[in-house]
Structure formats: C-alpha cells, structure tokens
C-alpha cells in the first residue's frame, strides 16, 4: 500500500530535492574539472624549479571535489529511486550516505578554512625562489627564468611587489617587457597580489557551492526520515 496525504507530498518533495542534489553533484563535478584544467592554474602548478615541483595542495582539493561530485550524483540517484519506490531500505541507505557526506563536507570545510591562505602562500614562496634564481644565477644553469616568465605571462604581472615590478623591466627585460611599465601606471601588477586574487576567487566559488549543498543535504536528511517513518506507518495499516 502506497503512502497517502501529506506523506505523499513529502515523497515527491524528496524526489525534487534529490533531483536538485543530483544536478548539484553534476555542477560540482563540472566546476572541479574546469578548475583542474583551467589554463592559469595549470600553467603555474605544472611548473618545476630544478627538482622542486610547484605546490600541489590546490590540486588535492580539486581531486576531492571531483570525488564528491561523482558520489553526490550516485547518492542523488539512489534517493530519487528510493523515494519513488517507497523503499525503506534504499531510503535508510540514502540517509546513511548523506550523513557520511555531510560529515566529510564539514571536515573539508574546517580544513579549507584553516588552510585557506596556505595555498597562495606556498605558490608565492615558489615564485620568490624562482625569481631570485632568475635574477642571480646563470639562466643556462637553471630553469628559474622560464618559471618566472610563465608566471608573468599567465598572470600579467612583473615582480613580487610593485616596486620590484617597476624596476625589473629596466635592467632585466628578458623577464618583464619594457612595455609592461605602461601597465604599472594604471594598476598594481604585483605577482603576489595576482596570485592571491587567482586562488582566493576560486576558493570562494568552492565555498559557496559547499554551503548550498550542505543546506540541501540537511533538508534531504529530514525529508528522508519523515518519508521512511510514513512508509513504515502506512504498511501497518
């Protein structure tokens, strides 16, 4: 015997929320893949300075997002199917998966908040090391010059700060073009600032998506338990 009345409304409401959850999983998966293959981050984070690889903390977070998006799509499908079939077993499994996902999201959110500045800091340190090598060492003996030029061309910047960025083109035009001085008169072209902008913008995007998904998950956990109880009560009669 199927559910009736308000419980039936909850059934279809849960189906709608699960469909939105499934779509959200697909969006997160798509955004994560875009961030993974974004030309700016890829150009920078694939760099190698001697034996030292560019910091990969950002990519670790992206791979976690890809996994979360894929799991969300699976759990969303499970919830839709369980709601339509009015299966207590599937709804119970769906609720358990949501609790695990929610706990993982909270843990990831705490980790991200604690380390939100660390990614940009690591990349800036990597850039500073390459910049020093490019200025002081023979360009033929290391790849510091190539690393620095990639940063400058990708982020449209020159030097770790505005002062150095202004002076560098005057005596090292192989690192920054002399034409770059024109841009310095209009905007701050500090590479440190550009690195902060690059990663902070992407982290805010991830944070907004996580908050939206968390709210949907809370509603789904409530609705799935209410529907599960309604199915149990209707089977008694």
């Amino acid at each position: 015997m199927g559910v009736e009345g308000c419980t039936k409304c909850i059934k279809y409401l849960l189906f709608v929320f699960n469909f939105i959850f499934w779509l959200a999983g697909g969006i997160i998966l798509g955004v994560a893949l875009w961030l993974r293959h974004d030309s700016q981050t890829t150009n920078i984070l694939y760099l190698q300075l001697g034996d030292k690889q560019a910091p990969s903390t950002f990519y670790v977070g992206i791979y976690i997002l890809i996994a979360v998006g894929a799991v969300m799509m699976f759990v969303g499908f499970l919830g839709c199917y369980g709601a339509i079939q009015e299966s207590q077993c599937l709804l119970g499994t769906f609720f358990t998966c949501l609790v695990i996902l929610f706990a993982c999201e909270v843990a990831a959110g705490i980790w991200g908040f604690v380390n939100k500045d660390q990614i940009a800091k690591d990349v800036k340190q990597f850039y500073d090391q390459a910049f020093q090598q490019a200025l002081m060492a023979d360009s033929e003996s290391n790849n510091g010059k190539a690393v620095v030029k990639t940063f400058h061309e990708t982020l449209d910047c020159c030097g770790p700060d505005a002062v150095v960025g202004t002076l560098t083109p005057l005596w090292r035009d192989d690192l920054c073009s002399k034409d770059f001085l024109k841009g310095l008169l209009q905007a701050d072209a500090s590479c440190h600032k550009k690195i902060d902008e690059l990663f902070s913008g992407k982290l805010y995007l991830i944070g907004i998506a996580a908050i939206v998904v968390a709210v949907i998950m809370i509603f789904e956990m409530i609705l799935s338990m209410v529907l599960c109880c309604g199915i149990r009560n209707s089977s008694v009669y």
Side-chain angles (χ1 to χ4, degrees):
M1 180 178 178
V3 294
E4 300 293 340
C6 292
T7 308
K8 192 169 186 178
C9 293
I10 292 174
K11 166 185 172 179
Y12 289 109
L13 189 60
L14 180 61
F15 177 85
V16 171
F17 267 100
N18 276 310
F19 182 71
I20 295 173
F21 188 73
W22 180 82
L23 285 179
I27 292 171
I28 288 177
L29 182 61
V31 170
L33 290 173
W34 169 70
L35 291 173
R36 172 62 182 80
H37 298 288
D38 179 55
S39 59
Q40 285 189 316
T41 51
T42 301
N43 288 343
I44 291 174
L45 297 179
Y46 271 2
L47 292 173
Q48 189 165 348
L49 183 62
D51 297 330
K52 184 178 181 181
Q53 185 69 37
S56 59
T57 310
F58 182 73
Y59 276 155
V60 172
I62 295 303
Y63 291 137
I64 293 174
L65 271 184
I66 291 174
V68 167
V71 171
M72 282 178 59
M73 293 186 72
F74 170 75
V75 173
F77 173 78
L78 184 68
C80 286
Y81 189 73
I84 292 299
Q85 294 296 319
E86 299 180 10
S87 169
Q88 293 184 59
C89 179
L90 287 176
L91 288 174
T93 304
F94 169 70
F95 179 83
T96 304
C97 291
L98 279 182
V99 171
I100 295 172
L101 269 178
F102 188 78
C104 291
E105 184 173 345
V106 171
I110 294 173
W111 177 86
F113 179 78
V114 172
N115 296 277
K116 65 181 187 302
D117 298 323
Q118 189 62 41
I119 297 174
K121 182 179 177 182
D122 290 342
V123 174
K124 284 188 286 188
Q125 289 177 346
F126 179 78
Y127 168 79
D128 288 345
Q129 292 176 1
F131 191 77
Q132 290 298 322
Q133 287 191 23
L135 290 180
M136 301 174 63
D138 181 7
S139 60
E140 299 298 328
S141 63
N142 64 80
N143 65 332
K145 177 181 173 181
V147 171
V148 170
K149 289 191 71 174
T150 301
F151 269 96
H152 291 173
E153 292 171 1
T154 302
L155 300 179
D156 192 25
C157 64
C158 182
D161 54 56
V163 175
V164 177
T166 304
L167 297 176
T168 301
L170 299 177
W171 58 288
R172 286 301 299 270
D173 56 358
D174 56 336
L175 295 180
C176 302
S177 171
K178 291 181 178 179
D179 294 336
F180 201 81
L181 285 171
K182 300 176 182 177
L184 293 172
L185 299 175
Q186 302 173 0
D188 184 2
S190 161
C191 285
H192 280 191
K193 183 176 180 180
K194 291 296 182 73
I195 290 171
D196 284 332
E197 292 173 352
L198 174 65
F199 289 101
S200 63
K202 288 176 169 52
L203 289 176
Y204 280 128
L205 180 64
I206 293 171
I208 292 172
I211 292 172
V212 172
V213 169
V215 171
I216 295 174
M217 288 171 68
I218 292 172
F219 276 106
E220 287 192 322
M221 284 188 282
I222 296 171
L223 291 174
S224 62
M225 280 297 95
V226 173
L227 180 58
C228 199
C229 292
I231 293 171
R232 184 182 296 114
N233 294 333
S234 66
S235 63
V236 173
Y237 303 102

